[in-house]
């Protein structure tokens, strides 16, 4: 592909007077020095440069390097390397801070399939920048020379908060459909508007998302849902049709309130966020166990994660407010949800909290907090959530002359109901007494 200069480049707002200054950590500079001492031109590129120019917090920022050295030359030069994707030219190299940095040989796309490009090594940084997806991601910074290479107007776009494909949007998305999802994510995370031609190209490319492997789609979804305000990207997913394309089960049903709820859930728990998205997105009648299981296995969740998510999506949020003033109903509900999954009660309460934060006039945060406190108090007081937590067990009944069989289970369940009515009953002596009283009734059956 030819280097395409962005047509906006001519009227750059950044005259020579506003030369950017980007602080690059020493370990990164050392790697560059080492490569360049051997004659291999090397730059920092991509997200690190973008985020530094945005002035986002520098801790945890990733610095990726682009170099003229081939992977073989990189591996020869450094003692400890990790072959991260040698066929794509990427070698992991440890810095003096023991962090792993990605060092990638300049490259350009040769053939593209819409899923993944076949790349060849290129001679120049400019060719390498031209194959990158968005202008804001297509800048390179040379810390030793203090030079920003910005052939596609990325800095202006960053300042104006515009997401724009490098070159022809239609072509770029057709080369690799993942760029559609990446673009929606960046626009959401960086709070950018999408340039109209880029947006058109995205929408047109949405049907092509079906060629992507579910692993890559899931990875993108995870990145979106791990950001501070996923609703912005989710809204774009929705408007572009990408959401319906990758998760047809959601139909048209993800409301703005549902997306706002996702924002209020813990950023570090993307599983809970995906749970809420599916829960609110699938119409109640559609969340059959079979459909939920199919969806979760298509999204490549482990069995354990699928169980956790599925329990909430299948069961729904439940009458969390309706049970607030009825201890027995509350305990019965907790018991049912505990049977559905180990984290189900906690997950549902956290989703309710987020619902209340997103729409406090409809669901009172105080009511949800009270419910959570009541459940917590029951738990701390040892009020049983299942038969196995009672102060008596089946063998105690057998010792009293009960015949092993379903009658014992029924008797224990009735004890459980009695304990929910009056928690003081949950001690061995009292329960055995009650069992003795039940026994004749059972024998008469
Ligand atoms: P972040 O890591 O914060 O998600 P990033 O921009 O660093 O954002 P990476 O996936 O780490 O994204 O990729 C690093 C760089 O590689 C990007 O900035 C972009 O220049 C380029 N790149 C990554 N994926 C693609 C792609 N599918 N098509 C074109 N260029 C890409
Ligand atoms: Mg990155």
């Amino acid at each position: 592909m030819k280097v395409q200069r962005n047509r906006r480049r001519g009227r750059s707002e950044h005259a020579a007077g506003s030369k950017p200054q980007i602080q690059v950590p020493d370990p990164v500079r050392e790697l560059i020095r080492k490569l360049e001492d051997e004659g291999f031109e090397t730059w920092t590129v991509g997200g690190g440069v973008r985020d530094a120019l945005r002035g986002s917090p520098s801790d945890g920022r990733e610095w990726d390097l682009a170099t003229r050295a081939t992977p073989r030359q990189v591996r020869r030069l450094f003692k400890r390397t990790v072959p991260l994707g040698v066929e794509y030219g990427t070698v992991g190299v440890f810095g003096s801070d023991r962090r792993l940095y990605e060092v990638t040989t300049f490259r350009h796309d040769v053939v593209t399939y819409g899923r993944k490009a076949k790349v060849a090594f290129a001679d120049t940084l400019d060719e390498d920048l031209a194959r990158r997806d968005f202008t804001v991601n297509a800048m390179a910074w040379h810390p030793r020379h203090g030079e920003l290479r910005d052939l596609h107007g990325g800095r202006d776009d960053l300042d104006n908060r515009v997401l724009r494909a490098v070159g022809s949007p239609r072509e770029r998305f057709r080369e690799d459909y993942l760029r559609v999802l990446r673009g929606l994510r960046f626009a959401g995370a960086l709070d950018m508007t999408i340039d109209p031609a880029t947006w058109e190209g995205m929408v047109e490319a949405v049907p092509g998302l079906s060629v992507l492997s579910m692993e890559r789609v899931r990875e993108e979804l995870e990145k979106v849902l791990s950001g501070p305000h996923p609703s912005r990207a989710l809204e774009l997913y929705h408007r572009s049709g990408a959401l319906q394309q990758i998760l047809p089960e959601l139909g048209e049903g993800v409301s703005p309130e549902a997306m706002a709820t996702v924002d209020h859930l813990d950023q570090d728990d993307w599983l809970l966020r995906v749970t809420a998205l599916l829960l609110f997105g699938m119409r109640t009648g559609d969340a059959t166990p079979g459909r939920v299981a199919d969806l979760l296995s298509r999204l490549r969740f482990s069995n354990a994660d699928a169980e956790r998510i599925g329990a909430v999506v299948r069961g729904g949020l439940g009458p969390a407010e309706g049970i607030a003033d009825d201890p027995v109903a509350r305990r019965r509900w907790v018991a049912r949800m505990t049977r559905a999954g180990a984290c189900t009660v906690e997950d549902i309460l956290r989703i309710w909290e987020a619902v209340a934060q997103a729409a406090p006039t409809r669901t009172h945060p105080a009511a949800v907090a009270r419910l959570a406190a009541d459940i917590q108090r029951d738990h701390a007081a040892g009020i049983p959530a299942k038969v196995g937590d009672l102060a008596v067990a089946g063998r105690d009944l057998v010792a009293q002359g009960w015949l092993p069989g379903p009658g014992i289970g029924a008797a224990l369940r009735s004890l459980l109901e009695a304990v929910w009515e009056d928690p003081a009953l949950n001690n061995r002596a009292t329960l055995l007494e009650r069992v003795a009283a039940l026994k004749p009734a059972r024998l008469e059956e």
Side-chain angles (χ1 to χ4, degrees):
M1 194 180 62
K2 275 203 353 241
V3 176
Q4 282 207 13
R5 309 226 156 182
N6 192 287
R7 64 200 130 72
R8 289 161 42 88
R9 192 190 166 222
R11 45 187 182 85
S12 168
E13 290 161 21
H14 297 288
S18 71
K19 245 182 120 180
Q21 265 313 321
I22 296 179
Q23 296 306 320
V24 175
D26 286 341
V28 180
R29 301 173 68 103
E30 288 157 19
L31 298 181
I32 294 175
R33 179 176 298 273
K34 188 151 173 177
L35 282 154
E36 295 208 325
D37 282 351
E38 295 296 314
F40 303 119
E41 179 189 351
T42 302
W43 295 67
T44 60
V45 283
V49 176
R50 177 195 70 218
D51 291 342
L53 287 173
R54 283 172 59 224
S56 68
S58 58
D59 32 301
R61 184 177 299 155
E62 275 176 36
W63 290 99
D64 298 330
L65 301 182
T67 183
R68 262 204 81 161
T70 62
R72 183 200 283 260
Q73 288 166 327
V74 174
R75 291 167 82 178
R76 209 179 299 141
L77 198 53
F78 294 95
K79 268 201 292 294
R80 286 189 62 208
T81 61
V82 181
L84 292 176
V86 173
E87 70 276 31
Y88 295 106
T90 304
V91 177
V93 176
F94 287 96
S96 56
D97 55 356
R98 294 169 170 225
R99 281 176 59 169
L100 191 66
Y101 293 94
E102 289 189 13
V103 179
T104 305
T105 306
F106 294 155
R107 56 196 181 170
H108 58 89
D109 292 346
V110 222
V111 205
T112 57
Y113 314 102
R115 320 163 150 254
K116 218 147 205 180
K118 212 182 169 98
V119 295
F121 300 139
D123 284 331
T124 64
L125 171 72
D126 295 1
E127 284 174 90
D128 184 273
L129 294 179
R131 69 165 284 284
R132 292 173 183 267
D133 46 9
F134 299 100
T135 62
V136 295
N137 288 346
M139 291 181 277
W141 170 255
H142 198 287
R144 301 175 79 188
H145 304 156
E147 180 188 347
L148 181 74
R149 187 71 57 88
D150 176 20
L151 301 173
H152 305 281
R155 200 175 168 209
D156 285 348
D157 283 344
L158 201 56
D159 283 355
N160 300 324
R161 299 209 183 180
V162 175
L163 186 87
R164 187 192 313 271
V166 171
S168 151
R170 179 184 281 185
E171 276 174 39
R172 306 319 309 279
F173 295 128
R174 228 180 357 219
E175 287 164 5
D176 180 358
Y177 290 105
L178 191 74
R179 291 172 184 158
V180 174
L181 299 184
R182 287 173 53 84
L184 300 172
R185 167 164 62 90
F186 289 125
L190 309 179
D191 201 10
M192 292 172 134
T193 53
I194 301 177
D195 161 71
T198 297
W199 174 255
E200 257 172 54
M202 280 176 163
V203 172
E204 195 184 294
V206 158
L209 293 173
S210 60
V211 308
L212 294 174
S213 77
M214 216 49 202
E215 280 79 6
R216 294 180 90 199
V217 171
R218 176 200 145 103
E219 225 171 83
E220 268 303 319
L221 201 59
E222 176 171 357
K223 286 184 184 169
V224 166
L225 289 175
S226 304
H229 294 290
S231 63
R232 286 203 289 253
L234 289 175
E235 172 66 24
L236 294 169
Y237 262 66
H238 188 64
R239 280 217 321 258
S240 63
L243 191 65
Q244 297 85 315
Q245 175 71 42
I246 59 176
L247 299 174
E249 290 86 348
L250 299 193
E252 294 296 318
V254 191
S255 64
E257 291 83 5
M259 296 193 191
T261 298
V262 174
D263 279 353
H264 283 95
L265 287 166
D266 182 359
Q267 185 179 343
D268 296 327
D269 192 351
W270 89 278
L271 291 180
L272 188 60
R273 284 176 156 191
V274 88
T275 303
L277 187 67
L278 300 179
L279 171 71
F280 293 124
M282 284 180 91
R283 269 179 311 218
T284 327
D286 290 348
T288 61
R291 276 204 207 124
V292 174
D294 283 350
L295 171 60
L296 294 174
S297 88
R298 206 173 79 240
L299 281 170
R300 305 285 187 272
F301 284 108
S302 69
N303 288 342
D305 290 346
E307 266 172 44
R308 176 180 166 198
I309 300 168
V312 178
V313 176
R314 283 191 308 269
L317 272 189
E321 281 188 293
I323 59 178
D325 299 321
D326 181 346
V328 178
R330 179 178 74 231
R331 289 162 189 159
R332 199 177 289 133
W333 178 79
V334 168
R336 195 153 45 84
M337 292 303 117
T338 307
R339 272 202 307 279
C343 313
T344 309
V345 171
E346 202 187 310
D347 284 350
I348 291 179
L349 285 175
R350 284 161 68 197
I351 295 175
W352 269 115
E353 275 168 24
V355 166
Q357 279 163 358
T361 47
R362 265 197 278 158
T363 303
H364 294 295
V368 177
R370 195 168 346 107
L371 176 64
D374 288 344
I375 290 173
Q376 182 52 40
R377 195 170 331 102
D378 280 357
H379 182 74
I383 294 176
K386 55 184 191 295
V387 159
D389 301 335
L390 284 166
V392 293
R395 61 178 178 282
D396 298 311
L397 274 63
V398 173
Q400 287 211 349
W402 287 65
L403 293 175
I408 290 188
L412 291 173
R413 275 194 298 279
S414 85
L415 290 181
L416 190 58
E417 286 278 342
V419 168
W420 289 340
E421 291 276 355
D422 179 4
L425 299 179
N426 193 26
N427 65 76
R428 216 178 130 75
T430 313
L431 292 183
L432 286 177
E433 232 169 74
R434 283 184 81 96
V435 163
L438 283 174
K439 195 175 167 189
R442 182 188 161 273
L443 290 177
E444 278 162 22
E445 274 168 17

